[in-house]
Structure formats: C-alpha cells, structure tokens
Amino acid sequence: MKSEHASNYIFLLYGSIAGIPLLMILYVIFRLIGNGAAAFAAEALLVPAFFVFGILSFIEIFGHEESVPAASLLLKAEGAQYHEGTDSGKSVYLNVKKFNPAKGQFERFSYKVKITRFTSVLDALLTAKAKHDNTLSIRYSCRMGTCGSCGMVVNGKPVLACQTNALDSSKDGAVEIGPMQAHPLLKDLATNFDEFFEEHKSVDSTLYRRNRNEKYKARKVFDMDREEMEKFLPYSYCIMCGLCQDACPVSNSNGNFLGPQALAQVYRYHADKRDQKGTERLEAVDSLSGAWGCEFAGACSKACPKGVDPASAIQLLKSEIMKAKMAGKFKEGA
Amino acid sequence: MNRMELLKYDIIIIGSGIAGFKAAIHASQASKDLKIAVISKLHAMRSHSVSAEGGVSAVLYGKERNDSYDLHAYDTIKGSDYLADQDSVEILVKNAPQEIAFFDHIGVPWNRDEKGIVMQRPFGGMTIPRTVFAADETGFFMMRALYDETKSLGNVDIFHEHFVTTLLMKNKEFAGAYAINLADGSEKIFEAKACIIATGGFARIYGFTTTAHSSTGDGTALAYNAGASLKDMEFVQFHPTGLVPNGILITEAARGEGGYLRNAKGRRFMEDYAKAKMELAPRDIISRAIITEIEKGNGIKHGESDMEHVQLDLTHLDPKKLDERLPMVKDIAMKTIGVDPGKEPLPVRPAAHFTMGGINSDNEGRVLDGAEKAMRGLWAAGEAGCVSVHGANRLGSNSLSECAVWGRIAGEEAAKYAKTQRFADEKILSQLISDEEGRLKSILEKSGDVNPYELKEQLNRVMDTYFYVYRSTGKMKKGIAQLAKIKKQFYSVRVEDKGRIYNTNFRDVLELGNMICLADIVAQCAANRKESRGAHAMLEYTKRDDKKWLKHTIAFKSGDSTQLSYSQVRITRWKPQERKY
C-alpha cells in the first residue's frame, strides 16, 4: 500500500550497510590466515561499498522530496508565457511535490500563479498547468466536491483540492502541495486507485436482493420511513476520494487492512433495511484485516470531505459483528 | 514500445454515467453469456452524472395528485418549444416511474415524508410537483448505487481511465474501439459486436459552464467521425443560476423550494417575463430574462471577475428547509465564494449546462447516419444521444429520467443484437488499428508551438461571446470565422508531455480536438436556423416560425466538411401552440 518509489535502491543501501562490516571481518580473517590476495580483494570491495553507502544514505536523507534543487526549476516555471492578469488578484507560489515515475522519486517544482479570493487550489493548479507546465498531471473533474477525483495533500492535510481555497491555504505567499501518501504513486499528483477499488469491491458493497430479476423490474418502491433511512444515510455520502485511507494510521502501516472506506460501506449496506444479505457480509470482515484492525484513531472522519464519519460506522460494525456472533449466526463462531 | 492488448467483448459501453451504467446492468441481465465492458475516461464512479442535483421527473401518484402521463408529456413538449418528437416523449414519461422503483431497489435514498411516502418537488415548466429527489445530490446517489451494482455483476468489466480515441468501423458497421489506458499509456483494442455511446454532453466548449471538466463530448465527436449524424446541435441550454464567478450549478430546486430572483433594484423581475410561473418558468425563458435585465442596466457587477449578474435570494427560506433539502447549495456557496445563502443572496448568471443536441438516435437508441438509417452495432443513450425528448429546451429533471430510460432501452436492444452477431474479421481491424496508431503518434510527436490550454481558452471565449443566450447573424459570422482560425491552429498544437504514464496533456489535446469539432458544428447549425425557438434565440428573428422551421437540424460529415439537412418533427397529439408561462 505504501508508495514504492524508494524500493529501487533501498535494498542496495541495506546491502551496503550489512556488506561493509562483513567485508571488514573478511579482511581481518584473510590477513590473519595470511591470504594476501583475498584480503586485497575484500579491501578493494570496501571502497565501492562505502561509496554506495554514502550516496544512498544521502538520497535517503535528503533526496525523497528534493532530488532537484527547487531554485533552478523555479526559473523554468516562470517562463516567458506568464503575464500578470488585470484583475485585483494576488500571486502565490504553489510548491508542488511531483512524483516522477521515470526516476521513481519526488521532484519539487514551484509555480507562481495569480489568484483571487475565490480561487481553489485546483483552479490554481490548472492555471499552473495551462501557463507554466503542461505536463503537470492532476486527477480532477467536477470541481464541486462531488466526483472525488482531486484528493491530495495541501499543507500536510489530505483534502479535495477543489474544496480548498488557495488564498486561505497560503502561508507566507506559498501553498505546499503533494500527492496522497497511502495510495501507490502514478505521476505528479495522481495516485493509483486500483487496490482501493478492489478493497471496496471485495467487501460486497452492493444492495443485495435474492431475486435480481425482481430487483431490476421492480414497479414499487420499498416501505421505509425516515428513521429507517437515517440508519444508513449518513454513510451513503461516500465519494470514494480515498482521503480517509490516506489519513488512517492503520492503512498507512498495514497493507492488509481493508481501510475505512470499504468498512464504512459494509456498514452502509448492512444498515439498509432493503438489503437481504443478512450477517454474511459481517462475517467476511470479522478479522484483524477487517473491522478489528481499526484502532479508532478517528483520522478518517476528520479527513472525510463529505462528513461521512467512517470511524463511527466501523464501531457500529464491530457491535453488529459481536451481536451476530453472540446470536450464533457465524459459521465458525456457532 | 508496442504494448497493445486485444480484448473481445460482445458489448462495449463508452461512458459510465447514469445512462452507461444502466445500459450495462440491463444488457448484463438480458443474458449472462454476454461479455460486457464499461469504458470510462474517468474513474467510472466519477462521471458528470454525479453533479446532477435537483432530481428526476416521473409521474408517481397519478390521480391522487392530479398527475398523468399526458400531463408530463404535454409539459415536456411545451417546454421543448414543440421540437421534441412526441412519440419519444411518450416513451419517456411511461417508463420513468419504474426507474424510480429500480433505483430504490439498488439503494438510492429517495427523500420520503413523515409517512414514508416518496416526495416530489416543483421544477421549472412542470405543471405540478413531479421531481423525485435525494436531497440535492440526486445524481450522486444514483451514480453510487449504479456503480456499486455494476461492479457486482459477473459479466461486466469496468475499465477506469481508458480514453477511447476512435471507433473502428467496417464500412458503416461497428467493429471495435481503440483506447488508451491513461495509467500506463498502453493501447487497448476492444473488438466488439455492439457499442453503446453514453459519454454525456459537450457544454465544456463554453467557458462559463456548470459542467464538469470532463463534459467534452468525446463520444459525440467519435460518432460523427464514424459516419453518424448529429441532431439539433444548435440547442444548448443555459442554466439561469450558474454561480458567479465559477459557474458551479445552483440547482433549480433552490427556486423549486421557494427561492427568488432579484435584479440590482431588488425587484423580482420574472414578473415581467413569466407572470404566472415566475421563477419556475422554463430555463430558456429565465436565462433570457436575466440577460435582458443585465442589458437594461439592472445587473450587478462582480468585483473580481467583472461579470454582470443578478441575485438568487434564499434568505427568506426556513433555515431547516435549506439544511434538509438544499444542503449542497449551502455547502457550495460557503466553500467556493464564502457566502451563506441563508444570510445573503447568491450572485448568479446563465451558464452553459446541457446540450439538447447530440447523436441522432431513434426510439430504440440506435444511432442514425446522414440518411437517417440505423447504423449496425451502434447505440447512443443519455445526453450524448438525441432521440429527441428535449427538443429546443429541456425541462429540469427530465434528463435523469432520459438517462435511466434510454440506458435501459439501449442496453436491452444492444444485447438482443449482440446475441445474433459474430465478431468482425480481424484482418480488417488490423489496418484500422495501424491507421489510428499512426494518427495518434503524429499528434503526440508533432513539434507544434500552440499551447493547447491557451487554444481551449480561445475556443471558450468564442463560444461564450458569439453563441450564448442571445445570438445574431452578424455575431455568429464573426464567431465562425474565429472558429476556423482555431481549427487551423489545432494542427500546430504541441503535446509537451512525451511520457506514457498518466499523460493528461495528451488526453487534453485529444479532448480539445473533439471540442473544436463539435463547436464548429454547433456554430454552423445555429447560424442556419433563422428563427427563435427554445434555447436558440435570435435577435433578428424573434419569433418561432413553425412554417419554415418546425424541423430537426441534421448534421453529418461529408469529406472534410459538415453537411446540414433537415428532418420532420414527429407530432402526434399535441399541436404546436404559442408558448406562454
């Protein structure tokens, strides 16, 4: 689940960390037993090992976010095409941490754009893309907080860029922008959602009816009152933006955890009186990678741009699982 | 380099909005043996249907509420300024009610009253409250339920972020589609027996628009280039209440729930334009009223954007109503312009919203060619298609019912067809594929000097200026000349990003090509219609002219240019009358 950009060279770093003392020991042993040629070979190998260690630890410490100096790119970003608008807006710097898939690492770019008090971070980024850097990759569509495309990290917080005001976000004239961290990186600010969608799919998040033909040819709506609707309605606003996953400390450390989005949707369909799945759906998430993996940090609910509160959904899910277990409804629990 | 993948499906559906998913579900249900692919240029659940706010129209209670199919049909036809095909409208109104039940069965939380009865709200041009809703996020709820449903179907595969660049046609018969996987830039060939185009509208040819960035009409352009005809392209709906300065939609439900429109003097000016219906007159009439007020000097100038606007006043509404039925209006206004609609009026002006025109299709959803003959293997549904039920002006909440109804019809019809067909000869395909490969390569590798985003801005400016709410022969002539320049410049567009992974720059250029193609057709169709009907309002020809112009515009490709012809409107029981509200 973690981004894998570091994995290309990290084994080399660990290799050199383990290799250097090993080569030293071998050198001493060969010296002691008087094998001069072998000792020389070990000594010779130590030089590149130290070299690799030095370079890689430098990258590991400094290279993740700024493998290219920001200042030199700043000049390029402020190329000839940029000109000030006529309106009374202000300029801000968008400091963008772009993921470069060819190099497998982050690069920092800074774009100066003109904004007004109404400009969203997404609009500002699109201006930067149009005027300074056509290659900038961003996922976006509705620009009104409904499609769930533009989740990213602005000033350290996972947010929808279209719902975040650029001027309010600027500190000392700059906005810090990077991709979400808990999803694999694709390019620049776009991340890969395959796994996230797979998890959502795997938990059977569909309103289940035994008779599908009847379901699709229905002529009447269900009897349902407001109270019954309230049970699932708060959890049905999920736009699948992935921000809750990005905020969740468990998702960030345990790749097997289904995550707050999928689990909240299990509860959403379980709590819907129209659904006929019964406890089967609960049984499937009665595990540490499921509902019991949640440590109730609540970060997901804070991050959710639609106020879904996955944390509370998961706690309700846990209590439903316990109830079903005690009633002997699970196969192995019976 | 060559990472092309060849996939075989009985049916492919391009587009994953309400119409696309509905088509997938019903085709899947028609036969478990059919293999179906839904191809979306976005993550499939993020299509523009999610932005539909107000609701979906359907006659639910009939006599109890003095409603009937005839009344719904009449409202729709009158709203269309008599350009709708009346037999098609009857299909719409008769099938809409069962779609409400369908969506209830897949999980949509329709708003219910204290007794648990599904509620309906008033909407513009509808005689009585007929619009079913799920708060003011109706489209979103329908989309999420559809996605959750579709992904559970064993015979449907969903391809996220795959951009279809061309339809592979064997003579005039559909044989497959060529797509680029945005994630890694690889090519996928979908060899298929049937194709349903459900890619939505193209209002993004305008700059000030309520629509998502994705509404670029790709499927409409694909169909046009594949030999299909387009119908009534001049009719673009301007929604009266696009929020200034960003164009984000403030739903018509805001007026349905009692909101007022006021000019700079604070006056409810709709009194002068539609005395009986006031703020609930159809959209074309209100949009013209707003622009007229602005031109009379009764507009208000917006500081940051210099846009002239009027006000949508919701301050007199019960705050509870605002929270319960219009939560999104409040959220959008607070977040994007920092205004609480409960305390201050909202600045609004007409914004491009819906394209009534689209791929010429018949009542079964089949795509028609320039001679209005059904093309083999091609269907269209939703905003991408034009059956036509909206004619010259769509009534609010009729689009979601259209998507649901023709999504189902196209899905079932394509399934019937696919069961009887064989795949095309692969040898024929291979030539088409290598042609397309060459075309794309030339766009990607061209060393042009035109910035596509600046060109798009030019296109938007031309459409906003010359093809807006009021049109005139002189202005449109200028617009057409500028569009010709834009077309030329497109040949020198530069794709800066040469990489394969998530190359949105290349996608944007392909979308721009589609938009330029469609804008040009809109312009030609508009310049040719010398009357005022529905959303097409001409300064020189202020009246509807049924004698000369009660007919559909049909546009199709002929060589490198667009040819126009006209076809009869199907009038059954409702004779054209003067349209008053």
Side-chain angles (χ1 to χ4, degrees):
Chain A
M1 186 135 301
K2 266 297 211 184
S3 54
E4 286 168 7
H5 66 278
S7 64
N8 298 340
Y9 56 81
I10 202 87
F11 76 95
L12 274 173
L13 176 59
Y14 291 140
S16 62
I17 290 171
I20 288 166
L22 188 73
L23 287 168
M24 283 175 156
I25 292 166
L26 282 175
Y27 174 77
V28 173
I29 293 172
F30 290 137
R31 274 273 165 245
L32 286 176
I33 62 170
N35 189 338
F40 178 74
E43 196 178 5
L45 279 172
L46 265 171
V47 178
F50 267 114
F51 186 72
V52 167
F53 174 74
I55 298 264
L56 292 179
S57 46
F58 179 83
I59 292 175
E60 185 57 18
I61 293 163
F62 303 105
H64 272 237
E65 299 183 1
E66 283 183 281
S67 60
V68 182
S72 66
L73 289 159
L74 195 69
L75 291 172
K76 186 191 162 206
E78 283 193 72
Q81 284 170 38
Y82 184 75
H83 57 89
E84 300 277 307
T86 52
D87 57 358
S88 57
K90 293 176 178 173
S91 286
V92 289
Y93 284 96
L94 306 177
N95 294 333
V96 183
K97 200 171 96 179
K98 289 172 67 175
F99 176 69
N100 181 333
K103 294 184 187 162
Q105 63 196 31
F106 284 112
E107 292 171 350
R108 226 177 236 284
F109 282 69
S110 192
Y111 308 104
K112 188 184 177 189
V113 294
K114 198 87 185 278
I115 58 169
T116 74
R117 65 189 172 105
F118 301 119
T119 310
S120 67
V121 170
L122 175 65
D123 286 339
L125 282 168
L126 291 177
T127 304
K129 181 176 171 66
K131 291 188 190 298
H132 303 313
D133 180 1
N134 290 180
T135 74
L136 180 62
S137 288
I138 319 157
R139 182 181 283 119
Y140 61 96
S141 183
C142 80
R143 58 82 164 96
M144 53 191 278
T146 309
C147 77
S149 297
C150 62
M152 57 185 73
V153 177
V154 177
N155 295 335
K157 269 195 209 154
V159 294
L160 292 178
C162 73
Q163 299 287 285
T164 307
N165 185 283
L167 200 57
D168 292 349
S169 307
S170 76
K171 284 170 194 152
D172 301 324
V175 187
E176 303 295 327
I177 304 165
M180 289 193 280
Q181 295 291 305
H183 303 273
L185 297 157
L186 259 179
K187 177 172 178 271
D188 300 343
L189 295 169
T191 53
N192 186 324
F193 273 62
D194 292 352
E195 217 173 303
F196 181 70
F197 293 158
E198 243 353 276
E199 283 163 347
H200 172 74
K201 189 177 173 180
S202 74
V203 295
D204 214 345
S205 47
T206 300
L207 195 143
Y208 178 77
R209 301 290 303 169
R210 280 178 215 109
N211 185 343
R212 196 165 251 170
N213 208 37
E214 171 246 54
K215 181 183 188 179
Y216 294 163
K217 296 210 162 131
R219 291 277 163 179
K220 278 173 80 178
V221 298
F222 285 98
D223 284 329
M224 184 162 62
D225 62 31
R226 282 185 173 185
E227 215 173 291
E228 289 164 329
M229 262 174 72
E230 270 311 310
K231 288 187 180 150
F232 68 86
L233 195 58
Y235 311 110
S236 59
Y237 284 89
C238 170
I239 56 173
M240 299 186 71
C241 61
L243 290 170
C244 55
Q245 193 105 330
D246 198 61
C248 173
V250 184
S251 288
N252 273 287
S253 58
N254 172 8
N256 294 324
F257 182 48
L258 275 171
Q261 192 272 338
L263 289 168
Q265 293 311 295
V266 174
Y267 184 74
R268 179 254 173 271
Y269 282 107
H270 176 74
D272 193 322
K273 76 168 262 190
R274 299 169 291 189
D275 187 82
Q276 294 178 317
K277 195 87 187 177
T279 55
E280 220 178 288
R281 208 185 264 124
L282 300 177
E283 199 171 346
V285 294
D286 177 24
S287 66
L288 270 178
S289 59
W292 303 107
C294 167
E295 290 166 10
F296 204 18
C300 54
S301 300
K302 252 191 217 158
C304 179
K306 303 301 279 185
V308 169
D309 199 354
S312 96
I314 300 172
Q315 306 327 302
L316 290 167
L317 187 61
K318 286 176 183 170
S319 98
E320 286 296 297
I321 291 172
M322 288 310 291
K323 268 195 250 166
K325 263 192 168 169
M326 288 197 284
K329 285 184 179 164
F330 288 180
K331 279 169 225 144
E332 72 257 59
Chain B
M1 180 67 194
N2 200 351
R3 286 182 287 164
M4 196 177 282
E5 205 180 330
L6 197 70
L7 300 164
K8 274 192 177 187
Y9 283 92
D10 294 288
I11 303 172
I12 63 164
I13 295 155
I14 309 176
S16 61
I18 290 175
F21 277 136
K22 276 285 284 179
I25 288 172
H26 295 293
S28 155
Q29 187 67 4
S31 167
K32 289 277 159 271
D33 299 329
L34 291 172
K35 261 186 87 187
I36 299 154
V38 175
I39 308 169
S40 177
K41 70 169 174 176
L42 306 172
H43 284 155
M45 75 295 289
R46 313 203 193 285
S47 297
H48 182 50
S49 294
V50 294
S51 299
E53 298 175 23
V56 43
S57 63
V59 176
L60 280 197
Y61 304 105
K63 277 189 189 145
E64 290 162 56
R65 305 224 180 137
N66 289 322
D67 202 1
S68 67
Y69 293 150
D70 276 5
L71 194 56
H72 188 186
Y74 170 70
D75 287 347
T76 302
I77 291 161
K78 183 179 171 191
S80 81
D81 222 347
Y82 295 90
L83 194 67
D85 288 309
Q86 300 186 355
D87 54 339
S88 313
V89 173
E90 286 199 69
I91 294 174
L92 174 78
V93 301
K94 285 178 183 160
N95 286 284
Q98 68 163 331
E99 298 303 346
I100 303 300
F102 170 90
F103 280 101
D104 196 59
H105 280 242
I106 64 167
V108 170
W110 298 125
N111 268 48
R112 286 159 157 89
D113 65 13
E114 290 78 8
K115 290 179 194 153
I117 311 282
V118 170
M119 295 164 81
Q120 289 178 299
R121 64 168 40 135
F123 242 67
M126 300 281 188
T127 313
I128 60 157
R130 191 184 281 137
T131 300
V132 182
F133 58 101
D136 54 359
E137 296 196 46
T138 310
F140 162 75
F141 282 116
M142 291 166 80
M143 275 295 289
R144 271 313 308 281
L146 283 170
Y147 173 72
D148 285 355
E149 187 68 30
T150 309
K151 73 176 168 46
S152 77
L153 302 172
N155 58 340
V156 180
D157 293 333
I158 299 175
F159 292 86
H160 299 287
E161 296 190 328
H162 280 64
F163 189 89
V164 175
T165 66
T166 196
L167 301 179
L168 305 171
M169 304 294 291
K170 189 184 77 186
N171 299 322
K172 272 192 159 182
E173 189 175 330
F174 170 79
Y178 190 109
I180 298 172
N181 178 3
L182 201 57
D184 62 6
S186 64
E187 294 87 0
K188 278 201 182 84
I189 310 301
F190 291 88
E191 202 184 334
K193 298 169 184 170
C195 171
I196 300 167
I197 302 170
T199 47
F202 49 90
R204 270 280 154 182
I205 60 174
Y206 288 84
F208 191 63
T209 170
T210 65
T211 59
H213 287 281
S214 58
S215 295
T216 55
D218 308 302
T220 313
L222 290 180
Y224 171 78
N225 285 316
S229 60
L230 307 182
K231 194 199 283 171
D232 296 336
M233 292 290 280
E234 63 271 42
F235 297 100
V236 176
Q237 178 163 77
F238 297 92
H239 194 291
T241 58
L243 192 62
V244 173
N246 51 35
I248 291 177
L249 174 68
I250 300 299
T251 171
E252 186 165 309
R255 282 170 283 129
E257 299 291 353
Y260 299 147
L261 287 169
R262 296 184 191 279
N263 61 18
K265 294 169 185 155
R267 205 171 144 256
R268 286 179 67 190
F269 57 86
M270 280 314 294
E271 209 179 330
D272 304 339
Y273 304 87
K275 208 173 165 81
K277 280 278 181 184
M278 294 294 285
E279 281 87 356
L280 285 178
R283 291 172 178 172
D284 58 332
I285 291 173
I286 299 184
S287 286
R288 279 195 291 277
I290 293 175
I291 297 300
T292 308
E293 284 298 305
I294 288 172
E295 278 176 8
K296 272 195 211 162
N298 292 336
I300 302 158
K301 198 162 186 169
H302 186 256
E304 277 79 0
S305 63
D306 286 353
M307 276 186 202
E308 296 245 32
H309 64 85
V310 296
Q311 292 183 319
L312 174 64
D313 187 359
L314 307 175
T315 55
H316 57 285
L317 298 186
D318 180 0
K320 232 180 98 185
K321 199 175 192 177
L322 207 56
D323 287 338
E324 258 176 39
R325 302 211 198 153
L326 303 166
M328 197 166 175
V329 169
K330 195 170 166 179
D331 196 48
I332 288 168
M334 298 278 279
K335 277 191 183 144
T336 68
I337 62 165
V339 172
D340 179 351
K343 293 183 181 138
E344 272 178 77
L346 301 174
V348 294
R349 69 173 278 141
H353 179 62
F354 184 89
T355 43
M356 270 75 73
I359 304 166
N360 192 8
S361 45
D362 66 11
N363 285 340
E364 282 79 51
R366 290 181 300 182
V367 172
L368 307 176
D369 66 11
E372 298 212 75
K373 277 211 176 96
M375 294 172 75
R376 287 177 60 81
L378 271 186
W379 280 259
E383 193 178 347
C386 182
V387 178
S388 113
V389 292
H390 309 306
N393 174 64
R394 173 174 72 82
L395 292 189
S397 75
N398 266 353
S399 60
L400 296 190
S401 12
E402 183 204 13
C403 288
V405 168
W406 268 279
R408 184 192 289 257
I409 292 173
E412 288 175 350
E413 292 295 322
K416 266 189 230 164
Y417 174 86
K419 276 192 243 173
T420 64
Q421 296 301 307
R422 288 186 184 180
F423 286 104
D425 187 355
E426 276 182 25
K427 273 180 208 151
I428 295 169
L429 280 183
S430 69
Q431 184 56 47
L432 296 169
I433 291 164
S434 74
D435 289 352
E436 179 63 4
E437 214 177 355
R439 185 184 76 97
L440 294 175
K441 208 173 159 204
S442 77
I443 297 174
L444 189 60
E445 290 173 2
K446 193 163 26 192
S447 57
D449 57 357
V450 174
N451 177 334
Y453 304 95
E454 282 171 9
L455 193 60
K456 176 167 180 284
E457 218 180 293
Q458 279 183 44
L459 172 74
N460 288 161
R461 210 177 306 128
V462 169
M463 297 311 288
D464 282 346
T465 311
Y466 303 110
F467 301 92
Y468 190 44
V469 172
Y470 280 109
R471 297 161 176 185
S472 76
T473 309
K475 275 173 98 181
M476 287 196 286
K477 215 173 168 183
K478 273 189 199 160
I480 288 171
Q482 295 194 17
L483 284 173
K485 276 189 203 157
I486 290 172
K487 256 169 116 176
K488 222 181 238 168
Q489 284 193 69
F490 182 70
Y491 290 107
S492 311
V493 151
R494 177 186 68 240
V495 180
E496 192 79 48
D497 191 345
K498 307 289 183 197
R500 286 199 150 241
I501 296 173
Y502 214 76
N503 187 342
T504 51
N505 190 202
F506 186 36
R507 178 206 62 194
D508 294 344
V509 167
L510 295 173
E511 284 181 350
L512 179 61
N514 291 336
M515 284 191 283
I516 292 172
C517 161
L518 297 177
D520 188 51
I521 299 167
V522 168
Q524 292 185 48
C525 294
N528 224 39
R529 184 175 283 273
K530 294 173 180 62
E531 65 158 350
S532 287
R533 182 186 297 269
H536 178 70
M538 292 277 291
L539 292 177
E540 298 96 325
Y541 312 94
T542 54
K543 291 260 160 62
R544 194 177 82 202
D545 183 352
D546 286 337
K547 260 194 193 146
K548 283 189 193 151
W549 291 102
L550 183 56
K551 53 191 181 185
H552 296 296
T553 308
I554 306 293
F556 56 95
K557 195 173 175 177
S558 168
D560 272 343
S561 61
T562 304
Q563 199 172 322
L564 301 188
S565 69
Y566 292 88
S567 79
Q568 218 178 356
V569 178
R570 295 191 296 273
I571 307 279
T572 57
R573 294 193 280 141
W574 294 274
K575 300 287 166 254
Q577 292 168 347
E578 196 192 348
R579 186 165 165 252
K580 265 196 169 165
Y581 288 95

